Amino acid sequence: MKHVFIINPTAGKSDSRQKIYDMAEKLRQDHGLEVQCLLTKKQGHATEIARRLCQSGEELRFYACGGDGTLNECVNGAVGHANVAVTHFPCGTGNDFIKMFGEEKERFFDLAELVRGEVRPLDVMECCGRYAINICSVGIDARIGTEVHQYHDSYVLSAVANLFKGIAQPLTVRGCGMEYSGGTSLICACNGRFYGGGFNPIPDSRPDNGKLEFLVVRDVSRLTFIRLVGKYAKGRYREMANLITHLEGDHLEIDSEQELVVNVDGEALWSKHVNFDLIPGGVNFLVPANMAFFH
């Protein structure tokens, strides 16, 4: 078995590559493991690396050394390959996916724990030709996240600007028993729990239960949106059933006359037709042994 450390040198606030090199070398010396460290050089490179290596048929363990974007890219390269398992060695600023493990998330920061871990099949979401392991969304939150770099990486400034531009968009939504056309502020598709640096819209969502969960936020005024966003972020959507519809299932699709910004595990793409489809057990994921979340 080969242990491959796919390192994003630009992730996080400091360059972690030497630390990872040293830790990987220690694992090689202490445990006789076959290790390989590879640096990403551009967006999407981790997917290219993972996909190429998967084709060998060799048993592999991929360690996504970066943020949630690096993890997403490694997952996109590994989906559907039974010989491969992916995990996250967090080096980013948000590291949202592992937050659902609670206090045990700290175990992901120990490579020795990961090497001795257990492989679990996790569900994956297919969205517009890409795969997501955590959360996708359409609407004002996706627009805020996409435009944040225009406002000196300030989510507050991006949020204020987008609120003034208008919240809702006319969308047609189909799936999970819903047939809806009208103004829509936000649609969130959850396989995991946390996104956007700490938003937790559906606290009991989990990526191993064979279903996706969705929140559809109808057309609301700016003032109402400001009031509800705090509850939305804390998973208190049941308190706003007149404004937020909760759905469960394996497929939802959205149509728009204008191109929509789609958030896919924190990465942006644009489309007039958006689909969210469940792939049960689509990727093998390596977790520290006996993680409580999976019991």
Side-chain angles (χ1 to χ4, degrees):
M1 182 191 303
K2 182 184 290 185
H3 299 261
V4 182
F5 301 90
I6 300 178
I7 306 166
N8 179 357
T10 65
K13 297 179 180 179
S14 59
D15 190 337
S16 301
R17 75 183 85 179
Q18 190 58 54
K19 173 185 175 182
I20 297 166
Y21 291 158
D22 293 342
M23 294 174 76
E25 178 61 20
K26 182 173 175 56
L27 290 173
R28 187 189 68 79
Q29 292 180 0
D30 292 352
H31 303 284
L33 301 179
E34 183 179 0
V35 302
Q36 184 177 17
C37 293
L38 299 171
L39 291 177
T40 63
K41 298 178 180 179
K42 60 182 180 178
Q43 186 173 4
H45 194 200
T47 297
E48 295 175 14
I49 292 171
R51 190 170 289 153
R52 172 174 52 82
L53 293 176
C54 285
Q55 294 172 356
S56 69
E58 182 180 3
E59 189 174 1
L60 301 170
R61 298 287 182 266
F62 291 140
Y63 300 80
C65 304
D68 290 295
T70 308
L71 174 61
N72 173 267
E73 289 190 12
C74 289
V75 166
N76 270 266
V79 165
H81 292 277
N83 58 308
V84 175
V86 177
T87 192
H88 194 195
F89 181 69
C91 303
T93 52
N95 304 320
D96 282 325
F97 181 71
I98 64 168
K99 287 177 181 175
M100 66 182 169
F101 294 96
E103 293 181 0
E104 288 201 275
K105 71 179 183 296
E106 299 303 322
R107 298 174 68 189
F108 281 91
F109 291 85
D110 186 343
L111 280 181
E113 282 255 35
L114 292 177
V115 166
R116 296 191 300 265
E118 303 172 358
V119 175
R120 304 279 180 157
L122 292 193
D123 302 332
V124 173
M125 187 181 349
E126 190 271 318
C127 174
C128 301
R130 285 188 59 85
Y131 300 108
I133 196 172
N134 192 21
I135 290 178
C136 298
S137 63
V138 168
I140 188 168
D141 69 329
R143 301 200 306 270
I144 290 169
T146 300
E147 296 179 11
V148 68
H149 301 301
Q150 300 177 25
Y151 301 96
H152 308 289
D153 292 330
S154 170
Y155 276 89
V156 173
L157 292 177
S158 183
V160 170
N162 275 278
L163 283 173
F164 277 102
K165 291 177 185 177
I167 297 174
Q169 298 168 278
L171 303 179
T172 297
V173 184
R174 295 182 300 273
C176 300
M178 171 175 268
E179 292 279 345
Y180 170 76
S181 292
T184 310
S185 300
L186 167 64
I187 297 176
C188 181
C190 296
N191 190 48
R193 295 183 185 174
F194 291 89
Y195 80 122
F199 277 49
N200 183 14
I202 304 181
D204 51 1
S205 177
R206 54 187 292 167
D208 66 340
N209 61 2
K211 67 179 180 181
L212 300 174
E213 299 193 54
F214 306 92
L215 296 179
V216 180
V217 183
R218 307 295 180 94
D219 191 354
V220 296
S221 68
R222 292 186 181 91
L223 182 58
T224 299
F225 182 81
I226 291 170
R227 289 172 176 171
L228 73 77
V229 69
K231 291 183 178 181
Y232 169 86
K234 296 177 181 178
R236 295 165 58 185
Y237 61 89
R238 293 181 179 89
E239 298 175 22
M240 300 171 289
N242 60 320
L243 300 174
I244 302 178
T245 301
H246 174 239
L247 304 170
E248 296 181 355
D250 59 9
H251 171 77
L252 196 75
E253 59 184 279
I254 305 164
D255 284 297
S256 170
E257 293 185 1
Q258 304 294 324
E259 280 207 328
L260 299 170
V261 180
V262 189
N263 157 45
V264 181
D265 279 358
E267 303 300 312
L269 57 82
W270 286 261
S271 181
K272 292 182 179 180
H273 177 79
V274 181
N275 68 285
F276 303 116
D277 287 286
L278 176 72
I279 304 176
V283 70
N284 292 321
F285 197 77
L286 181 65
V287 298
N290 301 312
M291 291 290 281
F293 176 78
F294 292 94
H295 289 256

